[in-house]
Structures are given as C-alpha cells and as structure tokens.
Amino acid sequence: MEFYYEAKTKGGKKVGGIRCAERESDVVSWLKESGFIPLKIMEISERLYPSACQDSFCGPAAPGFLSFAPKVRLQDKLVFFRQLATMIESGIPVAGSLAVLSGQTYNKTFSAILARVYKDVSSGSALAAAMSEHPECFDSITIPLVRAGEESGTLAGSLGKIAKFLEDQNDLRKRIVTAMTYPAVVITVALAVLGIMIVVVIPQFDKAFSNLNVEMPLLTRAAFAIGRRMSSLWYAIPLAAAAVVLAISCLRRTRLMRLPVDSMLLKFPVFGDIMFKAAMTRSFRTMSSLLRSGLPVLSALELTSCISGNEKIKIDFLLIRDAASMGQPMNAAVRENKLFPDMVGHMIAVGEETGRTDEMLDKIADWYDAELSEKVKRLSSIIEPLMVVFVGTVVAFMAMAIFMPIISAIQLFL
C-alpha cells in the first residue's frame, strides 16, 4: 500500500511524500528512524485514482453531449492551483500534493482527472506533460506556464500566477453576470407580463365583445387579431428564440462560419461592444501574465489568441504574431490593425521602449475593464426607463383597444 505522509525535521521544516508500506505503523517507524516527527499519515487508496476510470463521470467512450458528468468549474480549478502552489511552496512533493488534493475535491470529474494526473506524475512524468493529457480541463494557457515553472525551478510561483489569472477571469465573469442580471430580470418580467396580457386577457375581452352589436374600431380589431394569433401560437416565440441561439451556437462550431458569425456578434448593438470589451480585458490580462512568466512574445501572442473566445479577435492576434515574427515591432502591428484603438498601440510602444510591456498590457486590460464596467452600468440605468416606456406604450394601446368599444356601446344606450 501507499501512504502519503507529512512530517517535521528537527529544525522545524515541514516535508512530505509518498511511502510504500504494509501498515501505517511501518511508515511511522521509518519516519522516526529517519529523524522526522510524523504529523499526518494517510493511506492513498484506489478510490483516489480508479484504474481505468470506468465510472459514469469520466468514461471516455461517451460523447460530450451525452455525458452527464459535472463540468469542472473555473472556481474548482482556481482553488486547486492556489492549494497546489501553497503545498509545493511548503516543501510537499508534487505527487503527494496531488494525492491529497484529488481526495479533497468535491467535483467527481475533476477528482478523477487529478487522480490520473497523480498516477502519471508518480510514474515519472512531468506535471505539465501529465496535465496536457486532459485538455478538457487544463487549457493551452495553463500547460506552458506549468512547463515554464518546472524548467526554471519556480513551479510554486508559476502555479500562483495561474491561480491569480484564473481569479481575474472568475472576477470578470462574476461582474458581468452580476451587472447583466438586473437588465435580464427586467426584460424577462416585462415580456412575461405582456405575454399574459396578449395571450390571456385580450382573448377574454374578445369573447365578451363578440356579443355586442357595436362596430369595433380598427385599433380594437387589430388588438383582438393579435390576441387570437398569439393565443394559438404563443409557443412560437420562445421556440424561435431557442432556434436562433442554437443555430448561432452550431454555426460557431463549424470552421467556415465561425469567423462571419463572431464578426457579426461583435457588431451587434450594445451587447456586441460588451462582448468585445470583455474579450479585450481577458486577452490583454492573459498576455501580461504570460510575458511576466517568461514566455516569448510570439508564444504569448499565439496563446492569447486562444483565450479570446472570438474567432475575429483570435485571427487579429495571430496576424500581430505573424508581423512580429517577421521583425516588425508589436506596437506597429497593433497600430495597423483596425480592431485596436490608437491608444493601445501607443501604450504598447511605451512598454517596448521601457522594457515594461507586461505592465502596459495590464494597464490596457484595466482600461478595457473600466470601459466595460461603465458600459454595463449605463446599460443597466438606461434599460429600465426604456422598458417602462415600452410596456406603458403597449398597455396604453391595449387599454384603448378595450375601452373604445365599451364607450361606443354606452353611447348607443344613452
């Protein structure tokens, strides 16, 4: 059996590792004979790393859309890299750290992946190589940073940078979701109220007025016609919306349509600019982290293109990489690219001249982040009065359509 142990030296330094033994007491005896003070001993059982991962959570045979495995959340990876960096910095070996963390992770998919990474590392593989076997969990940004840390002997520092990078990503996502929640709720409630009035209320008045000997005004006839049509086809609108979202998602998965669809999304009113600023914040923050970790500019540009999340932005970063590979300064390539404002090119030029490109890229990310926050804040403040005006207009239209024939009927009896 294998046991993970933590112990202290006589000088007070904390150490850890893996020891093969028949019983826990054998590990304790070995530690004491070696001059260590045992702190923690834990058996590493097969449940931490299933041999072929046959359970339903990580079976490789099932296609992605048929798999019911819980996804590995960004928060799960953030906590993992933060804890792994702390444990390695404390002197605990990589294999021992992985053995502990794989057993502490509540996400079963992530736990199984970490168990497999542990087995590969225990067999002699480098951590980066073991992680690269699981691209569905560890992306193209994580692997080079881990590899750079292993090669330079600063693995704990690299893991800490990955955790900081994931933390920034998580914070950006949370702020966008938080800011967009209120407008989304307002729009949903307004549309739900309008839907109930058109589908339920208007048809009831239509039935009541059908027995009146009153000529219906044009406005009333139009409102009742809309109500009749909507009451029989009310499901068409949500189905159409779902079909549009599904079509865009499917088109983005095809190589030929990915670029035109992503370009169209960036030109979408209001929300296109929000998507663009979020992608720019993420991209420049990523590139700054990569350069600070010691990666070459060309590699950083290529990896940054993969994290942008938009094919148009990805291609533009690759064009900058190609120009830089031919000897052109990065700031000149950025200035020639119409996607970026002139200010970005000037700030990168200052960074290249002073040797502080990573700091300037961080400042660019901060600028886009501030612009994004302001944009979302303005959207939240504008959307409420717009929805009030829209709903009020529709309600006034329906009220006039209902009360006009009532007034006409009253006048006939007078």
Side-chain angles (χ1 to χ4, degrees):
M1 292 187 294
E2 287 185 329
F3 292 88
Y4 167 75
Y5 66 85
E6 289 182 15
K8 267 188 180 181
T9 64
K10 292 181 179 179
K13 185 179 179 181
K14 193 174 179 181
V15 295
I18 307 292
R19 177 74 177 178
C20 291
E22 292 184 4
R23 294 179 298 276
E24 183 178 326
S25 58
D26 295 338
V27 181
V28 174
S29 301
W30 173 77
L31 287 171
K32 289 181 177 179
E33 289 172 3
S34 302
F36 295 110
I37 304 171
L39 297 176
K40 180 194 292 185
I41 298 174
M42 183 178 70
E43 180 185 348
I44 304 173
S45 60
E46 285 296 317
R47 65 181 178 83
L48 292 180
Y49 44 95
S51 57
C53 206
Q54 299 294 332
D55 56 44
S56 61
F57 291 99
C58 53
F65 59 88
L66 294 178
S67 175
F68 294 97
K71 291 184 178 180
V72 180
R73 299 177 304 151
L74 190 62
Q75 182 70 27
D76 294 331
K77 291 191 283 186
L78 190 163
V79 172
F80 163 71
F81 280 109
R82 183 74 70 195
Q83 292 177 336
L84 184 60
T86 302
M87 294 179 76
I88 292 175
E89 196 171 9
S90 301
I92 301 173
V94 176
S97 302
L98 289 170
V100 173
L101 295 177
S102 63
Q104 291 181 350
T105 304
Y106 291 105
N107 186 303
K108 293 185 179 180
T109 302
F110 196 30
S111 178
I113 290 173
L114 293 181
R116 281 185 267 177
V117 172
Y118 161 73
K119 290 190 73 174
D120 291 340
V121 171
S122 299
S123 301
S125 297
L127 179 60
M131 286 182 171
S132 64
E133 297 295 324
H134 307 280
E136 75 283 3
C137 180
F138 303 108
D139 55 35
S140 56
I141 300 295
T142 302
I143 306 303
L145 289 176
V146 173
R147 185 176 291 115
E150 287 181 309
E151 292 174 354
S152 62
T154 58
L155 180 58
S158 293
L159 294 172
K161 289 175 183 177
I162 294 172
K164 179 65 169 63
F165 165 72
L166 293 176
E167 188 176 1
D168 291 339
Q169 297 282 76
N170 198 38
D171 288 343
L172 176 62
R173 182 179 298 177
K174 282 182 178 178
R175 284 193 293 108
I176 293 175
V177 170
T178 302
M180 295 302 295
T181 298
Y182 177 70
V185 170
V186 171
I187 292 173
T188 302
V189 171
L191 293 178
V193 171
L194 288 177
I196 292 171
M197 292 184 70
I198 293 173
V199 175
V200 179
V201 178
I202 291 293
Q204 296 301 321
F205 279 100
D206 187 12
K207 293 177 183 177
F209 289 166
S210 61
N211 297 324
L212 293 177
N213 267 331
V214 180
E215 184 181 351
M216 298 295 172
L218 177 62
L219 185 64
T220 304
R221 293 200 303 271
F224 287 171
I226 293 172
R228 284 191 294 270
R229 181 62 60 86
M230 292 296 295
S231 62
S232 60
L233 297 173
W234 61 269
Y235 54 85
I237 293 178
L239 283 179
V244 169
V245 173
L246 184 61
I248 291 175
S249 178
C250 291
L251 288 173
R252 288 194 73 214
R253 294 176 184 274
T254 61
R255 179 174 294 182
L256 291 176
M257 295 303 298
R258 193 178 302 150
L259 177 59
V261 170
D262 280 358
S263 300
M264 178 194 69
L265 290 175
L266 291 179
K267 294 177 182 178
F268 201 78
V270 182
F271 295 101
D273 192 44
I274 290 176
M275 286 189 284
F276 173 75
K277 286 181 168 58
M280 288 292 102
T281 302
R282 184 167 55 247
S283 299
F284 282 110
R285 191 84 70 197
T286 299
M287 189 172 177
S288 173
S289 299
L290 293 173
L291 292 178
R292 197 173 288 120
S293 299
L295 265 69
V297 173
L298 296 181
S299 300
L301 283 167
E302 184 170 356
L303 292 172
T304 300
S305 68
C306 300
I307 204 70
S308 62
N310 184 281
E311 191 69 12
K312 168 65 176 169
I313 298 174
K314 176 181 178 180
I315 289 176
D316 285 348
F317 270 105
L318 291 177
L319 290 174
I320 296 171
R321 180 208 60 183
D322 293 340
S325 66
M326 298 175 67
Q328 187 177 12
M330 185 168 62
N331 71 85
V334 169
R335 288 176 185 176
E336 291 176 2
N337 195 302
K338 295 180 180 179
L339 185 69
F340 306 99
D342 292 337
M343 183 208 69
V344 174
H346 287 297
M347 291 184 70
I348 293 176
V350 172
E352 289 179 321
E353 290 171 3
T354 58
R356 294 158 45 193
T357 307
D358 56 335
E359 293 181 22
M360 284 300 169
L361 292 174
D362 246 342
K363 292 183 183 298
I364 294 170
D366 290 339
W367 177 72
Y368 273 115
D369 196 5
E371 288 284 305
L372 175 64
S373 300
E374 185 62 28
K375 183 84 175 181
V376 173
K377 191 184 297 182
R378 285 202 303 267
L379 176 64
S380 300
S381 60
I382 290 172
I383 202 163
E384 184 176 4
L386 285 179
M387 291 306 299
V388 169
V389 171
F390 173 69
V391 174
T393 302
V394 176
V395 170
F397 165 79
M398 289 190 290
M400 290 176 63
I402 292 170
F403 283 109
M404 285 176 69
I406 294 176
I407 294 172
S408 299
I410 292 173
Q411 288 176 346
L412 285 177
F413 289 106
L414 291 177

